[in-house]
Structure formats: structure tokens, C-alpha cells
Amino acid sequence: QLPTMSSTAAAAASATAGSKRQRPDVDEKADGADSQTSAAAAAAVPLTEEGEMPQKKFYRSRAHVNPLSHNDAYDYPTKPSLLDWTAEHYPNHPALLLLNTNTEKSDGVISKQPADHDGNDTKSTSGTRSNEIAPDVLDIGCGFGGLTIALSTLLPESTILGLEIRDKVTEYVRLRIAALRKEHPGQYQNCSVLRSNTMKFMPNMFAKSSLEKVFFCFPDPHFKRKNHPRRIVSERLLSEYAYFLKPSVGRLYCITDVEELHQWHVTKCRSHPLFRELSDVEMEADPCVAAMRVETEEGKKVERAGAAKYYAVYQRLADGDVLNEKRVTAETFWTEGEFGVKTIVQG
């Protein structure tokens, strides 16, 4: 038989139990507040400190992005002349240091520089011609920055810019370049990265005939026919690229592991009147072709898988050297096989 207690003792025990039952609620609230505080503190600490090499596993993102979707999260100027690339991207560019040195040696007098095509003075407010520093080599869809960084040492006289549409990947490349600059003083000052949608905002950032090389390495194939307008190479975009590339000098590089996409590139570029396909000998003599094949992260992945790589290079023709057979005339417009013209024989 279980022992019994008096009514007074039972009431006291009940009151004590009630107070104990309330304490876990208070403790849970306190634990919740502590967890929120610790979470906020963790959020305040960046994944990678500035100057340290980032770990790729923390910056992975979806490979597929719709470049045609409406997104106003990008910062861009109304015209290229308003963009000072040295402020955030190339503060210690070798050419900028040379310009500053020449300015200091010019008897203390800084002559007024000619205005650009928009009527703006190219001399910056600090007395240095920082507006002369602008990207002339683009790695469009740079991914994790393998080729962008390789081109920095391969083309030391050029200014390389990687363009990437994914924000997390862009931050990874930015931190990677900052870490390399810290680890190798004086190097990698001529490369940078920018988050942007190339299919929309190139006219806002780059002037006419200002680029020497444009790379498209392993772009999204967008297999579905309805998504073909999202492809980075098209008739309309090729005309834009021709506008930005220097005549007789500019080159457009394409590489992919998808044969169908390669055939798309070949068809579009060969049919454009302002581009000429380079021969195998010409491509072999271009060191950038070898870098394009082996330096990108996607290219290394394809290499490990033992898959094929398909690539081609096209040179921007001079305005006076447009191939005659590609010019549209009243006589050629209705030629068989041109512009979708097809002869239909009715039986």
C-alpha cells in the first residue's frame, strides 16, 4: 500500500510542481533568445575574410539562370563614360600607376585631355587619366574565374574582366582575386569580376570598338527550342559583339562540350557578315586558345570525364572588308538556302 500525505502537504507539492512546470517555458524563451543572438553573430561573420582564399563549396549555385527574366538588381551606368573602372576593380592597375608617374613628372602642369565621344573630359578629378583604364578582354560567363585569372598573367598588357550572372559565384571570384593579389604583390591587378547580365547591359558599360577579345566558355546550352533565345550567341547579339570588338583586331572565342551547341555557334558566326572564322593554323598560334581549353573549371571537368571539346575562333572584320558574298542585296535575298528561303516542289 502506497503512503498517503496530508492535504496541506499535497497543496504545497502541487504549487511547487506548478512553478516547476512554468520554468521550462522561461528557459525555452531564454534559449531561443540565445540562439537568435548566436545566429545573428554568425551571420555577421563572413564565410571568408577579405584577403583569404575562399572555399568553393560555400559558393556553389544553380548552373542555370534565365537571362531574359526581369531583374533590376544590377547596377549599371547610363553610358560607358560615366564608369570609373579603377575605383573598385583596378585600383592598382599597372597602366594606371604608369599614368600617375608620367603626370607627376610633367612639370607640375596637367594638360587638359580630349573629350570622349560623349563630350566628357577623360581626365579624372584626381588629376590622373583613370578613365583610360577599361576592360578590353571579357570572359563572359566566367564561372569560378579559372580563365579570367589565367588571362591576367597570359595577357599582362590587357585589362581582363570576368562577367558572371550569379551573385554567389561572382563573390567567390572577387575573393579569389583579392587573395591572389595579397599572396602575390604586384600581380593580378589587371583582372577583376563583375556581376552583370551581358545580354542586356553591355551597351551601358563598354564603348564602341573597345574590346580585343571576348570569350564564351562552356555556356548554358539551353537545349529546349523555346529557350534558344536565351543562348549567348545569336544573330542579334553577334551584331552587338561586333560593335564592341575592334575591327581587324577583335576576336570572339567559343568552346563547349555540346556538339549541337557548337554547330549552332558555327552556323551563326559563319553567316554573320562581320566575322571570319580562323583556320586551325591561326588558332594554334593563338595562346589564348590553349588557355581556353584547359584553364576553365568546366573544361577541367570535361577533361576528367574524357569528353570532347568543340571550339572555334572568329575575327572581327574591318568595316571595309565585309565579305561580299555575305552582303544582302535584292539579288541575293531570295537565293536558295539564304534567310530561310526554301524551294517547295508541288507534285
Side-chain angles (χ1 to χ4, degrees), residues 216-288:
F216 301 103
C217 299
F218 303 95
D220 193 332
H222 294 292
F223 289 107
K224 295 181 180 179
R225 185 177 179 83
K226 68 175 184 179
N227 292 336
H228 284 182
R230 301 180 185 179
R231 288 180 170 177
I232 197 65
V233 173
S234 65
E235 294 92 340
R236 178 185 65 83
L237 290 174
L238 281 172
S239 296
E240 263 195 28
Y241 305 147
Y243 174 84
F244 298 118
L245 286 168
K246 295 179 180 179
S248 304
V249 176
R251 290 187 175 184
L252 187 146
Y253 299 74
C254 299
I255 185 170
T256 179
D257 59 332
V258 180
E259 186 174 7
E260 186 272 330
L261 181 62
H262 173 66
Q263 294 302 326
W264 170 281
H265 292 165
V266 170
T267 301
K268 302 301 180 185
C269 293
R270 283 180 179 175
S271 62
H272 198 283
L274 290 176
F275 287 100
R276 174 186 68 86
E277 186 174 3
L278 266 62
S279 65
D280 293 341
V281 175
E282 290 175 305
M283 287 194 293
E284 194 68 26
D286 189 343
C288 293

Side-chain angles (χ1 to χ4, degrees), residues 177-250:
I177 293 175
L180 288 171
R181 288 177 176 177
K182 181 180 179 180
E183 185 178 351
H184 305 279
Q187 298 185 34
Y188 303 103
Q189 299 293 341
N190 64 330
C191 70
S192 187
V193 66
L194 175 69
R195 180 176 181 248
S196 182
N197 187 342
T198 307
M199 294 181 68
K200 292 185 176 181
F201 304 124
M202 280 191 72
N204 298 87
M205 296 183 292
F206 307 106
K208 180 181 179 181
S209 303
S210 62
L211 303 178
E212 294 186 0
K213 300 179 186 295
V214 176
F215 292 85
F216 301 103
C217 299
F218 303 95
D220 193 332
H222 294 292
F223 289 107
K224 295 181 180 179
R225 185 177 179 83
K226 68 175 184 179
N227 292 336
H228 284 182
R230 301 180 185 179
R231 288 180 170 177
I232 197 65
V233 173
S234 65
E235 294 92 340
R236 178 185 65 83
L237 290 174
L238 281 172
S239 296
E240 263 195 28
Y241 305 147
Y243 174 84
F244 298 118
L245 286 168
K246 295 179 180 179
S248 304
V249 176

Side-chain angles (χ1 to χ4, degrees), residues 44-280:
V45 178
L47 289 174
T48 306
E49 295 290 343
E50 196 76 20
E52 294 183 359
M53 188 63 69
Q55 298 184 50
K56 190 183 297 183
K57 64 181 180 180
F58 296 127
Y59 297 90
R60 296 196 181 276
S61 180
R62 286 188 59 188
H64 302 284
V65 176
N66 180 8
L68 301 182
S69 64
H70 177 70
N71 191 328
D72 58 355
Y74 302 97
D75 295 328
Y76 54 91
T78 55
K79 53 186 177 180
S81 60
L82 298 179
L83 188 57
D84 182 2
W85 290 100
T86 61
E88 296 182 7
H89 295 277
Y90 311 102
N92 297 310
H93 193 287
L96 180 63
L97 298 178
L98 180 62
L99 286 172
N100 291 345
T101 303
N102 293 339
T103 301
E104 292 174 357
K105 293 180 179 179
S106 60
D107 299 330
V109 178
I110 302 174
S111 60
K112 183 176 178 60
Q113 303 302 326
D116 60 13
H117 65 279
D118 292 317
N120 298 305
D121 187 1
T122 57
K123 179 173 65 64
S124 68
T125 55
S126 62
T128 61
R129 296 158 63 181
S130 60
N131 283 356
E132 292 189 4
I133 307 300
D136 55 6
V137 177
L138 299 185
D139 181 11
I140 296 179
C142 66
F144 289 95
L147 181 62
T148 300
I149 292 171
L151 291 174
S152 176
T153 55
L154 184 63
L155 305 173
E157 302 297 325
S158 299
T159 305
I160 294 92
L161 179 68
L163 293 169
E164 175 59 45
I165 197 171
R166 297 168 292 175
D167 53 352
K168 288 174 64 176
V169 179
T170 304
E171 178 64 6
Y172 171 86
V173 180
R174 187 192 70 82
L175 291 168
R176 184 180 178 184
I177 293 175
L180 288 171
R181 288 177 176 177
K182 181 180 179 180
E183 185 178 351
H184 305 279
Q187 298 185 34
Y188 303 103
Q189 299 293 341
N190 64 330
C191 70
S192 187
V193 66
L194 175 69
R195 180 176 181 248
S196 182
N197 187 342
T198 307
M199 294 181 68
K200 292 185 176 181
F201 304 124
M202 280 191 72
N204 298 87
M205 296 183 292
F206 307 106
K208 180 181 179 181
S209 303
S210 62
L211 303 178
E212 294 186 0
K213 300 179 186 295
V214 176
F215 292 85
F216 301 103
C217 299
F218 303 95
D220 193 332
H222 294 292
F223 289 107
K224 295 181 180 179
R225 185 177 179 83
K226 68 175 184 179
N227 292 336
H228 284 182
R230 301 180 185 179
R231 288 180 170 177
I232 197 65
V233 173
S234 65
E235 294 92 340
R236 178 185 65 83
L237 290 174
L238 281 172
S239 296
E240 263 195 28
Y241 305 147
Y243 174 84
F244 298 118
L245 286 168
K246 295 179 180 179
S248 304
V249 176
R251 290 187 175 184
L252 187 146
Y253 299 74
C254 299
I255 185 170
T256 179
D257 59 332
V258 180
E259 186 174 7
E260 186 272 330
L261 181 62
H262 173 66
Q263 294 302 326
W264 170 281
H265 292 165
V266 170
T267 301
K268 302 301 180 185
C269 293
R270 283 180 179 175
S271 62
H272 198 283
L274 290 176
F275 287 100
R276 174 186 68 86
E277 186 174 3
L278 266 62
S279 65
D280 293 341

Side-chain angles (χ1 to χ4, degrees), residues 28-44:
E28 288 176 2
K29 292 180 180 179
D31 292 342
D34 292 340
S35 63
Q36 291 178 0
T37 303
S38 59

